Amino acid sequence: MCSLSLFPPPLAAGRLLIERNNELIAGDLDRQCDLPCPQFSRDMLKGPARAESKSAFLEQTHTLWRRSAGAWRDAGLLGLLDEITDSAEEVPRCVAVVSRCLLALMRWASSFHSSLFPHLTLSSDQMVAEFSQMMDWSESAVRSFSWHPHTEKFAVALMDDSIRIYRASSSTAPSLKHRCQRSVSALQWKPLCGSALAVACEKHLIVWSVDPCSLSSRPSSGCAQLLSLPGHSPITSLAWSPSGSLLVSASPVDTAMMLHDDDDDDDDDDVTKRNNGWLVRLQVWDVAAETCVPLRRVGGGGVTLLSWAPDGERLLAASPSALFRVWETRMWTCERWPCLKGSCQAACWSSDGSCLLFSIQGESLLYNLTFSDLTGGPKSASVVADLSETSFPGPEGDLTVGGEVFSLSWDPRGERLAVLLRGDPLSADHPSAIAVFKTRCSPVFELLPCAGQTEDSPMCRSSSAAPGLLTPRDPWV
Amino acid sequence: MFSLKQNCWFIRKVVAWRASASIAWSVLLLPLTTAIFLILSRFSLFHPFQWISDCTSLLTASSTIFSLVILCAVVLITGFFNLEFYTLVPSIPCSRVALLGTVLHPQQCIHSLVYSSMGMLVMWCASVIIGGRYSTLGTHCRLGESGEVMTCLNEYHLFLLLSGAFMGYSHSFLGVVQNMYFVSFPPIQQYKYPQFKGCLPMVLKCSVIQSLFSARNFAALYFFFGYMPKAWISNTLNLPLDGSIQPLDSLAGLADISLFYHLVISGTFLYFTWYLSVLLFRIYATEAHTFPVQSTFIEEADQCLPKVLTEKVVLPMKFLALQDLALLSQHSLSRRQEVFSLSQPGGHPHNWNAVSRECLSLLSELTQRLVAHHDAVASNGRVKSQSASSDTKTASSSSSVFSGTEDVPGTPRPSIPLRTPGSVFNSSVGGLPSSLTAPFTPDVDSPFSTPSIRRLVGSQGARSPWFGSVQSPHIMRRGPKLWSASTESQTKESPPPSPASAPTPSAANQKPSFLSQWLQNRKEQVKSFLSKRVLVVYLFNKLPEASSQALFADSQSHIWALQGLSHLVAASFTEDQFGVVQTTLPNILSSLIILLEAVERHFKLPHASSKPCGEYFNGP
């Protein structure tokens, strides 16, 4: 078992670190690679106006009919009942009583429902903030981050609902904006493809195809492909299959995972999709339509986190309750893993897909599940690291590092593992930190401490929260 | 397409069993749905105990059992009847007239007729199950002043029967309009039970919605035309109408919540049983079938994958074989080894050769189709006209892409000199501003005509030798040439007669006689006259993107071929011991790239914008 006390003292935040000769040194950006290093601050980015337009208008008295119609349109049945109950003196007594009873009944029923799944009471934005892999998602200027798996470029989702794409040795940073692109909670580049970027938004799933050769700094919304499904929002997590042929998206509200067939080995599939789109829209009953297949299982109440094993054989789907599932992607059957102490907070697969590391919300332990075809799968998870709080003597007094494991990322070669540890935002000497482990999967799983870094600047936070800063190149940490 | 009449081992051994299993399951599920229907139809809010006790006694009553037997017969009949209509390639009508043609097709009429009668039968059973005032066609009533008891017409029963016929017809109608019998393969493999379970809520929801729509439409229809069947039945069966009850073809009669509830419930029941049988068939039909890659016995040689892939007639077998190829190329190491293996005496890679040849021919066929479409469309954004008669042909095959329906909305033809290679030299030589097609039809075999023209003719008349079945590598080598030739002519927006086509005028000029010119002129006049009529324009107007959809209607097979091929090639890097893939690698790569180019060019066409439409995910 590995613990933080074996680590060297953490390095200060805000510097680029390079691993050389088995130790981390602060390096210079320009010398290594000419990746851009954009800085975002909250003042620069104006958050989108989310306030309702209601506040801009003066209040006006209307007849009950018009108010009821408005309430029905805005807030559905609940709003209508609310409106009638509020204006009890204008309606006949029996109507008011009936609506009050109905309202009470509905509230009672919904409270019962949400007592089973407390996350359903959250608003859409709160839910995204809760289940995003980003630390304080709602406050941060950077909402999500994704490295391209093959080339030196990355995409950053910002607070103003735009996405910027930065490339090495290129000064143009295309900014992607779309009417439907709101509350971006996850980004992922399509594997084996240079241009496709999947974006999980509040209501839609957008697949941008950004031509790498294009010099346009503002690709039109014609490059975006909008996928949406009623009842499947907010989408907080998505995952491409390693071959890039399937895309899975999940929402904490919907119990079904959506599998979008995005088979683009060849572009004619685009047309297939479109054909099916045409079919689907008409034949509402066409359940076997090719475009998307809902995968439903009872229990758990939604899916918050998806992670596809790099070998494509397994897919992890965590739920908001104390349960996660591991799907096998041949016949799409699943194993239930009821973890007793809480919901799964972060997870990542080893490069050969045999080993799954995960952490549980509120805990500072790292668990390991080893899958192997010979033994027929693991029986229980084992604890591989304990990252509870540890004090290091620093220049300005002791520094405490450790705590809840918030996010995990493993580099594609399976040699380094980065763990983001949530600190205490109230105390200055307990910052969030990244711990980097050296890992080895065969013959037995092994974790060795490598280095740590505390962090506080927004850029660092973004990069750490985004799984995969370590991915493109080895010297990059 | 899944018709059991075809005499093929696959149909006999696999499809027949799958169809029977799916129908058997839909029959087995029927008692359950009937029981639920009975319980729901007897629902009464204020007498819960009586309701439950009624239901338990009714579930075993003889009338219920009898109607259950009849329902089983209905499900069996519709199940086997549907087999003729299931298809693997959706029919995509390019215009409303084509759609109308499909709906009025005799086969479709028979389908509608059968479904209407089956709907009546189901509704009769439903009315027997519901009982009460719906149970029989005749009721006892007292006539006016004399007070004698007579048998009168029970309008409620009639109402349900007619609604059954209506729902049956609308099911059949929507089936053809929405391609209900199109069996689409799911993108992922699942076991049958989870797949069924996952689809069940959707089917239920859809049948409820469909039933609500049908109930509304039928109520409106009955309100306006209900007196006709009522009077007819009453006259022929000599059943007088009961004057004391409110007639149902009036507002007061229709404003009956209980009637509406029963109508919707039985409609849901009806749709649910039918949708369920379609769903079950789809699940069974699309289940992966494992073909042996090679067999040790000679008798089984025609059941092996390389042989089966070349099948042209039995489409289900071909599709399943392609699916199997795509699956084995991704998941099965041992079967890939068999594909890469050499034949025992002789050492030839027969398996790989057959597989790759078939896949490549599929892909090159798609490429040619795309290039031809592109050539036909790209020059000025409209499909060249074949003849006026092609407007009305039913669009069930991909050749409908070339029907001339696009021409109609255009401005009167003669005033615009069309900027196609044909018209350019035509106007300059023959002085005919309007003629487009006539001079070209005979020139198919001329080496100078553009591929599009050849293709157009090939699609219209007898199949040109290399249109349908492309087997020889000769064609493969021709692909790039085709491509480059057509690029030349299209990159220049208004192509002057390309050097290659320059000699054609002499050949073409001899053909059109005075008569044909006169006919051409008449035709153009009729066209321009018709194009000003709103209804004609509405009917003949091309549905947006329909041609593109029709072009890719059977692209599932191409996708599998492509997946199988590319995964096999990728796997061959480590698994191919004898290097059999290397010999075909250049061919594969070039055909993939040509296809990619063709597809990319296709999306740049004005009619097939590359913008993915936003609503293609709004379905289930």
Side-chain angles (χ1 to χ4, degrees):
Chain A
M1 175 127 64
C2 201
S3 81
L4 281 181
S5 54
L6 303 172
F7 272 79
L11 299 155
R15 300 292 302 274
L16 178 79
L17 299 180
I18 296 162
E19 186 185 345
R20 184 170 293 158
N21 295 334
N22 208 9
E23 58 181 328
L24 285 185
I25 51 170
D28 206 357
L29 193 63
D30 308 326
R31 228 162 23 104
Q32 292 300 319
C33 174
D34 52 354
L35 266 177
C37 188
Q39 296 280 341
F40 305 104
S41 68
R42 291 206 55 190
D43 318 327
M44 235 165 66
L45 307 161
K46 204 162 43 168
R50 286 285 157 72
E52 287 186 30
S53 51
K54 203 189 259 179
S55 57
F57 294 92
L58 288 177
E59 207 154 299
Q60 191 69 270
T61 49
H62 277 304
T63 60
L64 181 68
W65 275 114
R66 293 188 65 177
R67 268 182 290 148
S68 308
W72 169 264
R73 202 182 50 233
D74 291 343
L77 184 62
L78 215 58
L80 179 70
L81 291 177
D82 239 351
E83 184 66 48
I84 294 176
T85 318
D86 281 350
S87 48
E89 64 274 8
E90 293 176 52
V91 292
R93 197 180 146 72
C94 57
V95 176
V97 168
V98 165
S99 75
R100 194 175 304 138
C101 290
L102 274 176
L103 195 64
L105 198 70
M106 281 175 71
R107 286 202 175 133
W108 177 77
S110 72
S111 74
F112 178 70
H113 186 217
S114 57
S115 71
L116 281 176
F117 300 115
H119 68 276
L120 291 182
T121 52
L122 300 175
S123 78
S124 169
D125 265 3
Q126 283 171 325
M127 202 179 302
V128 174
E130 170 77 25
F131 296 116
S132 165
Q133 284 288 295
M134 186 82 193
M135 237 186 254
D136 61 359
W137 180 87
S138 47
E139 292 301 308
S140 160
V142 174
R143 289 270 164 100
S144 187
F145 179 95
S146 171
W147 278 107
H148 194 279
H150 311 298
T151 61
E152 286 170 351
K153 67 177 171 183
F154 58 86
V156 188
L158 300 176
M159 198 180 188
D160 58 352
D161 288 339
S162 70
I163 294 174
R164 307 249 170 101
I165 294 173
Y166 294 92
R167 303 187 196 102
S169 62
S170 164
S171 57
T172 54
S175 167
L176 312 176
K177 285 187 184 174
H178 196 282
R179 187 169 43 86
C180 303
Q181 186 170 294
R182 300 175 62 186
S183 311
V184 177
S185 56
L187 293 173
Q188 200 178 10
W189 290 92
K190 179 175 171 177
L192 309 179
C193 174
S195 59
L197 173 72
V199 181
C201 312
E202 190 182 3
K203 295 231 166 58
H204 298 84
L205 200 58
I206 301 179
V207 181
W208 286 94
S209 46
V210 190
D211 188 359
C213 306
S214 146
L215 292 174
S216 148
S217 65
R218 177 78 200 274
S220 78
S221 56
C223 305
Q225 218 173 355
L226 235 61
L227 319 175
S228 75
L229 215 61
H232 190 62
S233 70
I235 300 170
T236 59
S237 183
L238 50 83
W240 287 98
S241 74
S243 64
S245 58
L246 296 169
L247 174 65
V248 182
S249 69
S251 160
V253 178
D254 196 357
T255 47
M257 280 196 301
M258 291 301 157
L259 255 170
H260 307 291
D261 181 20
D262 201 84
D263 230 334
D264 270 291
D265 286 335
D266 170 44
D267 290 18
D268 67 347
D269 302 39
D270 272 334
V271 177
T272 326
K273 279 185 286 176
R274 221 186 298 160
N275 282 345
N276 283 313
W278 178 75
L279 297 178
V280 164
R281 203 186 48 197
L282 292 182
Q283 36 187 105
V284 276
W285 47 267
D286 183 1
V287 281
E290 196 181 339
T291 44
C292 86
V293 178
L295 290 170
R296 283 175 213 278
R297 287 293 182 276
V298 180
V303 177
T304 55
L305 173 71
L306 290 168
S307 172
W308 210 308
D311 66 343
E313 293 288 313
R314 288 183 186 83
L315 173 74
L316 171 108
S319 70
S321 55
L323 168 79
F324 68 87
R325 290 189 171 85
V326 178
W327 291 82
E328 160 278 314
T329 58
R330 278 284 290 281
M331 294 306 286
W332 291 95
T333 51
C334 66
E335 292 172 21
R336 278 166 65 100
W337 282 94
C339 29
L340 296 172
K341 287 171 194 150
S343 64
C344 177
Q345 168 65 40
C348 65
W349 291 90
S350 66
S351 53
D352 57 352
S354 65
C355 179
L356 171 69
L357 287 184
F358 66 94
S359 70
I360 288 175
Q361 197 167 31
E363 280 193 353
S364 56
L365 299 173
L366 265 188
Y367 295 87
N368 171 31
L369 279 177
T370 310
F371 292 87
S372 124
D373 294 331
L374 298 175
T375 55
K379 298 288 175 288
S380 66
S382 56
V383 178
V384 288
D386 182 3
L387 304 171
S388 50
E389 294 166 19
T390 311
S391 295
F392 291 98
E396 303 124 18
D398 278 5
L399 199 64
T400 313
V401 167
E404 183 190 351
V405 176
F406 195 78
S407 178
L408 292 166
S409 174
W410 213 329
D411 84 316
R413 298 184 199 178
E415 290 171 351
R416 296 288 180 276
L417 171 76
V419 180
L420 172 61
L421 301 166
R422 196 210 285 268
D424 188 354
L426 298 179
S427 70
D429 55 355
H430 187 190
S432 299
I434 306 177
V436 179
F437 293 91
K438 293 174 190 165
T439 54
R440 201 169 66 176
C441 271
S442 62
V444 285
F445 180 75
E446 217 172 10
L447 268 184
L448 295 169
C450 176
Q453 183 186 27
T454 64
E455 53 168 79
D456 43 20
S457 75
M459 176 60 198
C460 253
R461 196 187 299 148
S462 81
S463 57
S464 58
L469 181 65
L470 306 166
T471 45
R473 284 195 160 186
D474 257 354
W476 274 85
V477 174
Chain B
M1 211 168 274
F2 285 88
S3 165
L4 301 181
K5 286 177 212 146
Q6 282 165 310
N7 190 20
C8 165
W9 68 271
F10 189 75
I11 296 288
R12 266 184 283 120
K13 285 189 182 166
V14 181
V15 174
W17 279 112
R18 290 182 173 194
S20 316
S22 73
I23 294 170
W25 270 112
S26 41
V27 170
L28 284 179
L29 287 173
L30 201 58
L32 193 69
T33 47
T34 315
I36 293 171
F37 167 67
L38 191 145
I39 291 169
L40 284 179
S41 68
R42 293 271 169 161
F43 177 73
S44 75
L45 186 63
F46 301 107
H47 308 285
F49 294 107
Q50 196 194 348
W51 167 45
I52 291 167
S53 63
D54 270 5
C55 287
T56 43
S57 64
L58 265 175
L59 279 176
T60 50
S62 59
S63 66
T64 315
I65 305 282
F66 178 64
S67 43
L68 191 62
V69 170
I70 291 185
L71 284 173
C72 289
V74 168
V75 168
L76 280 175
I77 292 170
T78 50
F80 281 107
F81 182 69
N82 278 348
L83 291 183
E84 297 288 328
F85 291 87
Y86 288 117
T87 165
L88 285 167
V89 180
S91 78
I92 294 166
C94 282
S95 65
R96 292 183 178 84
V97 152
L99 191 62
L100 207 64
T102 337
V103 171
L104 297 179
H105 192 270
Q107 201 188 14
Q108 182 57 33
C109 289
I110 294 175
H111 188 262
S112 307
L113 206 66
V114 168
Y115 263 89
S116 298
S117 43
M118 289 298 139
M120 275 177 101
L121 215 53
V122 172
M123 275 305 189
W124 183 81
C125 295
S127 60
V128 168
I129 290 173
I130 297 171
R133 59 180 182 179
Y134 302 100
S135 53
T136 52
L137 191 60
T139 50
H140 296 293
C141 61
R142 284 174 195 283
L143 277 188
E145 54 278 354
S146 59
E148 57 174 323
V149 178
M150 279 187 66
T151 311
C152 304
L153 179 69
N154 181 4
E155 203 179 348
Y156 293 103
H157 187 83
L158 182 68
F159 184 78
L160 276 193
L161 285 190
L162 288 178
S163 77
F166 177 80
M167 286 175 182
Y169 180 74
S170 66
H171 178 84
S172 155
F173 176 77
L174 289 177
V176 68
V177 172
Q178 301 177 351
N179 271 320
M180 196 193 291
Y181 295 106
F182 166 52
V183 179
S184 63
F185 285 80
I188 56 170
Q189 298 292 310
Q190 283 187 80
Y191 290 111
K192 290 194 283 287
Y193 176 62
Q195 208 177 339
F196 175 74
K197 212 172 62 176
C199 295
L200 205 57
M202 198 79 73
V203 171
L204 192 61
K205 191 178 134 199
C206 290
S207 45
V208 169
I209 289 171
Q210 192 57 47
S211 155
L212 280 171
F213 274 114
S214 298
R216 186 198 66 186
N217 295 346
F218 178 70
L221 201 69
Y222 193 81
F223 177 70
F224 288 114
F225 302 107
Y227 63 92
M228 286 195 289
K230 197 165 66 174
W232 182 65
I233 296 269
S234 153
N235 279 336
T236 44
L237 298 183
N238 202 12
L239 290 171
L241 293 169
D242 190 356
S244 61
I245 303 175
Q246 186 75 37
L248 278 180
D249 53 345
S250 63
L251 275 182
L254 284 175
D256 183 347
I257 292 183
S258 149
L259 178 72
F260 187 74
Y261 173 73
H262 282 129
L263 181 62
V264 169
I265 280 282
S266 16
T268 307
F269 173 64
L270 176 125
Y271 281 121
F272 187 72
T273 48
W274 287 347
Y275 287 163
L276 205 62
S277 66
V278 173
L279 170 74
L280 282 167
F281 181 78
R282 276 192 198 184
I283 290 176
Y284 269 90
T286 57
E287 194 192 359
H289 181 265
T290 310
F291 294 88
V293 177
Q294 57 186 0
S295 160
T296 42
F297 303 108
I298 305 284
E299 314 75 86
E300 289 173 14
D302 62 336
Q303 304 182 8
C304 291
L305 193 61
K307 189 82 181 167
V308 167
L309 276 179
T310 55
E311 176 65 46
K312 292 280 182 306
V313 185
V314 190
L315 267 189
M317 183 158 83
K318 179 164 185 123
F319 269 64
L320 284 171
L322 282 168
Q323 189 194 28
D324 188 38
L325 177 72
L327 288 178
L328 86 87
S329 70
Q330 288 172 48
H331 297 304
S332 171
L333 171 67
S334 58
R335 297 180 67 207
R336 278 199 299 263
Q337 290 289 358
E338 286 185 56
V339 173
F340 296 139
S341 68
L342 299 179
S343 67
Q344 205 38 271
H348 294 288
H350 288 307
N351 291 336
W352 166 252
N353 281 347
V355 166
S356 64
R357 194 193 310 131
E358 184 54 32
C359 291
L360 283 179
S361 77
L362 269 175
L363 296 185
S364 67
E365 180 220 357
L366 180 66
T367 313
Q368 282 164 18
R369 216 193 285 169
L370 284 176
V371 170
H373 177 73
H374 190 260
D375 285 354
V377 167
S379 50
N380 53 3
R382 52 172 77 181
V383 173
K384 285 176 196 167
S385 162
Q386 274 299 301
S387 61
S389 66
S390 70
D391 286 359
T392 48
K393 79 179 155 189
T394 55
S396 58
S397 68
S398 66
S399 65
S400 62
V401 175
F402 303 101
S403 72
T405 46
E406 273 195 349
D407 300 338
V408 180
T411 48
R413 264 289 170 72
S415 59
I416 304 172
L418 288 165
R419 313 287 281 172
T420 55
S423 64
V424 167
F425 80 76
N426 207 13
S427 56
S428 61
V429 178
L432 272 178
S434 64
S435 147
L436 251 183
T437 54
F440 280 96
T441 34
D443 287 339
V444 190
D445 297 323
S446 138
F448 307 112
S449 61
T450 58
S452 71
I453 308 282
R454 285 191 224 172
R455 172 55 213 243
L456 276 172
V457 176
S459 74
Q460 189 199 23
R463 300 192 141 198
S464 58
W466 53 286
F467 164 55
S469 54
V470 185
Q471 299 107 337
S472 66
H474 166 69
I475 297 304
M476 276 318 302
R477 269 180 261 118
R478 243 169 127 160
K481 229 193 281 173
L482 264 181
W483 171 249
S484 51
S486 56
T487 359
E488 252 176 56
S489 65
Q490 276 137 22
T491 41
K492 303 163 192 164
E493 252 310 303
S494 56
S498 60
S501 65
T504 25
S506 58
N509 221 4
Q510 301 156 0
K511 302 284 160 52
S513 65
F514 174 75
L515 190 67
S516 73
Q517 286 174 15
W518 184 81
L519 277 176
Q520 276 294 326
N521 285 339
R522 288 301 98 174
K523 204 171 80 185
E524 293 304 326
Q525 280 177 4
V526 169
K527 263 190 192 172
S528 65
F529 170 76
L530 285 178
S531 67
K532 289 178 192 128
R533 300 293 168 276
V534 176
L535 182 67
V536 175
V537 171
Y538 175 79
L539 284 177
F540 284 86
N541 207 348
K542 202 148 171 49
L543 296 173
E545 302 219 338
S547 65
S548 180
Q549 284 167 357
L551 206 57
F552 288 101
D554 61 341
S555 63
Q556 180 67 67
S557 60
H558 302 118
I559 294 167
W560 278 327
L562 198 91
Q563 275 183 344
L565 208 56
S566 42
H567 279 116
L568 278 177
V569 169
S572 77
F573 189 67
T574 52
E575 294 168 14
D576 181 14
Q577 296 168 352
F578 309 109
V580 296
V581 176
Q582 285 177 15
T583 52
T584 34
L585 198 55
N587 266 346
I588 294 173
L589 288 180
S590 68
S591 70
L592 289 192
I593 288 170
I594 292 165
L595 178 59
L596 182 69
E597 256 184 305
V599 169
E600 278 184 353
R601 275 165 54 109
H602 180 81
F603 285 134
K604 301 212 168 85
L605 289 180
H607 282 289
S609 63
S610 60
K611 286 167 194 158
C613 56
E615 63 268 10
Y616 79 79
F617 250 77
N618 291 348

